[in-house]
Amino acid sequence: PRVELAWAMKAHQHAQVYFNLISSVDPKFLNLTKVDDQIYSDFRRTFRELKIDVLDPEDLKSEPAKEKWRPFCLRFEGLVEDFNYGTLLRLDCSKDYTEENTIFGE
């Protein structure tokens, strides 16, 4: 629980920084890592059926989902700093970050 709380706090701090970035810069000119294009293409190839505009928590937290997410994240070990940190995600991308619309993805 303590470790999870520390990760959640760090994820919140990262989310604030990234939200400020994506809110102030046109996303087509923004790169968060040197391998953004690789991450995106691998993501689309690995999770072809995943609906990303409105997320279903089961697609992130269920055991079958975790079996896909773990190997996906491990591909970026050594390429992306904090590659295995959790992140705060909006369940519905058309809505703001709120308690009801946010999930912690590990």
Side-chain angles (χ1 to χ4, degrees):
R2 243 176 231 250
V3 171
E4 199 169 297
L5 179 60
W7 281 11
M9 290 173 52
K10 183 130 181 150
H12 177 72
Q13 291 169 344
H14 278 250
Q16 285 181 315
V17 170
Y18 288 121
F19 185 78
N20 289 339
L21 270 172
I22 64 174
S23 298
S24 62
V25 177
D26 186 333
K28 65 182 162 195
F29 300 114
L30 182 65
N31 288 315
L32 300 176
T33 74
K34 294 177 183 177
V35 292
D36 284 0
D37 293 336
Q38 179 188 351
I39 293 169
Y40 181 74
S41 63
D42 284 2
F43 171 79
R44 293 312 309 161
R45 191 172 33 257
T46 303
F47 301 99
R48 290 175 205 258
E49 305 300 318
L50 182 64
K51 224 176 119 190
I52 59 172
D53 56 343
V54 179
L55 291 171
D56 177 349
E58 282 298 302
D59 291 336
L60 305 171
K61 300 276 188 171
S62 69
E63 280 308 311
K66 287 179 180 181
E67 289 175 14
K68 286 183 90 171
W69 280 106
R70 281 186 197 111
F72 173 79
C73 291
L74 288 173
R75 290 183 212 159
F76 303 102
E77 185 174 11
L79 295 174
V80 176
E81 185 178 343
D82 301 334
F83 76 98
N84 63 342
Y85 273 25
T87 190
L88 295 176
L89 300 167
R90 289 179 294 164
L91 293 171
D92 183 336
C93 73
S94 68
K95 298 178 183 175
D96 288 334
Y97 280 101
T98 63
E99 188 174 340
E100 300 79 28
N101 192 42
T102 305
I103 188 170
F104 181 68
E106 308 175 53

